[in-house]
Amino acid sequence: MPEGIVQEQVTAAIADAVAEAKRKGLLHSSSPPVCTVEFPKREEWGDLSSSVAMTIAKMEKRPPREVADLLAKQLEESCPFVDQVEVAPPGFLNLTLRRDFWFSVLHEIESKGETYGHSELVRGKRVLLEYVSANPTGPLHIGHGRGAALGDAMARVLRAVGYSVEREFYINDAGRQMNLLAASVYARYQEYHGSAVSFPEDGYQGAYIRTVAEHIAHTVGTQLLDLPLSEALEQCKVMACEELLEAIKQDLLSFGVGFDSWYPETRLFSSGTIRETLETLKQRDLVFEKDGALWFRSSRFQDEKDRVVCKQDGDYTYLASDIAYHHDKLKRDFDQLINIWGADHHGYVPRMQGVMQAFGYSKDRLQVVLVQMVSLLRGGRKVEMSKRAGEFVTLREVVDEVGADAAKFFFLMRRPDSHLEFDLELAKKQSAENPVYYVQYAHARLASLFRVAQNRGILVPPAGDANLTVLVQPEEFRLIKHLSSFPGLVEGCARALEPHRLTFYLQELAGHLHAFYYKHRVLPSREEGTTGPELDLGGMNADRGGVRAQESPSHELTTARLVLLRQVQTVIRNGLTLLGVTAPEQM
RNA sequence: GCGCCCGUAGCUCAGUUGGAUAGAGCAUCAGCCUUCUAAGCUGAGGGUCGCAGGUUCAAUUCCUGCCGGGCGCGCCA
């Protein structure tokens, strides 16, 4: 599955071998099998392995071993870059490639540069990616932070494989929650002016409500006290919403998460879109009246029952807004809609996919990524939060404490659908225990190396001008092979909507880099006036842990290693960029 | 009660859509700095992949039933 320049060619070679075997009458099955290659679990099993023989054997009803043998023979005869093929039971093909074939990876990275990892998996398909979409009733909390980091990374990953992505924030500025906000703010406003009032039940308790109320008081003085209640509340709502939305935008800005468009729910009301959309559905009998209310016939699709869209009191439900909003998205001509939601909304997915069907699309037109909860830890202890009392840790607090890079990386270290434990102390640690520092340090370490090289007048030539064949160490090949699988990894992230795979990939790549870097020298030892002989004792020291090779590499080897490391640095940077994390030159 | 998600090393979690002797990071233990960043490296111990069946050459992965944890089943959002 790791598609890259090497993997692609090997996959094609296997497919050719299968076709050739058919021509010779050795194989018969009509449907061509999917020829996949993967890195074997053990290095002694070769460079790449494939299980195609087993799949074919099934179709042909023949022993896997037999099929594997004939494909192995075919590959060894006709494929120029395959050095050797071993067949391992029950029918694996273990391929060893010509060493120099791997160097094509380095040329590839150099020529692609910051687009290495990008592809044209889907060409120009349009995606609307909706995430965060918080109520403007308070600051973003860490749960929003996870959604924000995920959405931002997902947008980057999808763009990398060819999607045209629009990132949208749906502003939930209508409905009961906003009325509650208005009532809370108005109560604080009255308090500020000395009136003793009872605070609304279920009102927003947070201290920020007082701040907002004070700002309003400073702006309009006592004016609101003289207005009819409904008018005063309306004004509180508008002003509070504006201020809190602005704060949300600022929080996202300092977190480094961007949007292309902001879509207010209130627009759906004022423009009459909701009424029109429901009317359309009513004509198709997908919306109907019962018990003095309007219902969406979602049971027609995969929902367990029908749902109210317009209440007996005449107010629309949130579902009505969402139907209109998603109809609008569809009208904007996107090929795919993707929403990132908190996992507690999972029951809502079937009815929204029903909305897709109601408008004549497949339910898969809408994909929903569910994000699980975040628990904050401080030194291994859980930080208790109570939303009810308005005590929750905000995204801003976390970003201020650990930095945007660490916060994003930590949010992206787990599968979306799995609970996340976020250890604040760990995220701040400046050591190898902290994954984000470990990866960023790998990048900075290389940057530093290139600076030293430059100061000594050592140039890094284009890959084409270096003699790469002097790269023979296992640590060097581990790096090259890992680099080769990057494009396939990005594709996998896009297909599965799982950017977290990148964090694992980068930790592995950084690990290979640090291991190489510790064991092998790149630049010649400074003390030696002349370039000493190649004394690479790496292999000989293998049995003594932690002993560095006292090598002083030849000019040729220095050059080749610098070329290799240049590409490692590029891939680390590209990977971090896809996560929205910076790749520092210095730490 | 019904539905969805999760259950993998002491802890937190990966496992590329069914492949080989199940991995990583913490934590524990034992080592490594005259050197290009030790913000780093090497090694060791640690497993009934929740349990029981089924599907097949092959199951952590797919199916069924249990057990345990989380969430959802509003004319709330």
Side-chain angles (χ1 to χ4, degrees), chain A residues 26-38:
Chain A
L26 300 169
L27 292 175
H28 307 284
S29 56
S30 50
S31 55
V34 189
C35 300
T36 56
V37 289
E38 57 187 8

Side-chain angles (χ1 to χ4, degrees), chain A residues 534-562:
Chain A
E534 165 81 60
L535 286 173
D536 193 325
L537 305 176
M540 300 177 198
N541 284 335
D543 56 332
R544 291 197 54 198
V547 175
R548 288 193 206 221
Q550 300 292 308
E551 56 180 328
S552 181
S554 66
H555 176 70
E556 207 173 31
L557 186 57
T558 291
T559 304
R561 285 181 172 167
L562 285 170

Side-chain angles (χ1 to χ4, degrees), chain A residues 258-270:
Chain A
F259 287 90
D260 304 301
S261 52
W262 302 74
Y263 197 109
E265 184 181 359
T266 44
R267 184 189 298 167
L268 296 165
F269 287 85
S270 57

Side-chain angles (χ1 to χ4, degrees), chain A residues 427-493:
Chain A
K428 280 192 292 186
K429 255 189 199 155
Q430 306 202 346
S431 73
E433 298 157 58
N434 180 352
V436 60
Y437 274 85
Y438 186 77
V439 174
Q440 286 186 314
Y441 174 54
H443 185 271
R445 203 176 201 188
L446 291 176
S448 164
L449 173 70
F450 294 130
R451 281 194 297 272
V452 173
Q454 193 177 27
N455 289 341
R456 293 207 214 159
I458 300 170
L459 299 175
V460 190
D465 294 350
N467 175 18
L468 299 175
T469 59
V470 296
L471 299 175
V472 294
Q473 296 297 329
E475 289 79 13
E476 291 159 346
F477 271 79
R478 277 179 208 132
L479 280 169
I480 294 172
K481 289 177 186 176
H482 209 67
L483 296 177
S484 77
S485 66
F486 184 65
L489 179 96
V490 176
E491 281 192 19
C493 289

Side-chain angles (χ1 to χ4, degrees), chain A residues 201-251:
Chain A
E201 185 116 0
D202 301 327
Y204 288 93
Q205 302 278 353
Y208 63 90
I209 295 289
R210 276 208 174 81
T211 314
V212 171
E214 281 171 27
H215 288 163
I216 292 175
H218 291 152
T219 316
V220 303
T222 58
Q223 281 178 35
L224 300 186
L225 297 174
D226 305 325
L227 292 174
L229 182 63
S230 63
E231 183 66 22
L233 287 174
E234 183 57 29
Q235 290 206 24
C236 279
K237 193 200 281 189
V238 170
M239 286 187 280
C241 179
E242 194 180 334
E243 175 166 346
L244 292 171
L245 185 59
E246 194 48 45
I248 287 173
K249 289 184 176 177
Q250 286 304 318
D251 287 354

Side-chain angles (χ1 to χ4, degrees), chain A residues 137-139 181 184-185 188 199 203-212 386-392:
Chain A
T137 54
L181 171 73
S184 310
V185 169
R188 296 299 184 214
F199 196 75
Y204 288 93
Q205 302 278 353
Y208 63 90
I209 295 289
R210 276 208 174 81
T211 314
V212 171
S386 147
K387 205 170 178 184
R388 171 126 189 87
E391 296 166 10
F392 49 88

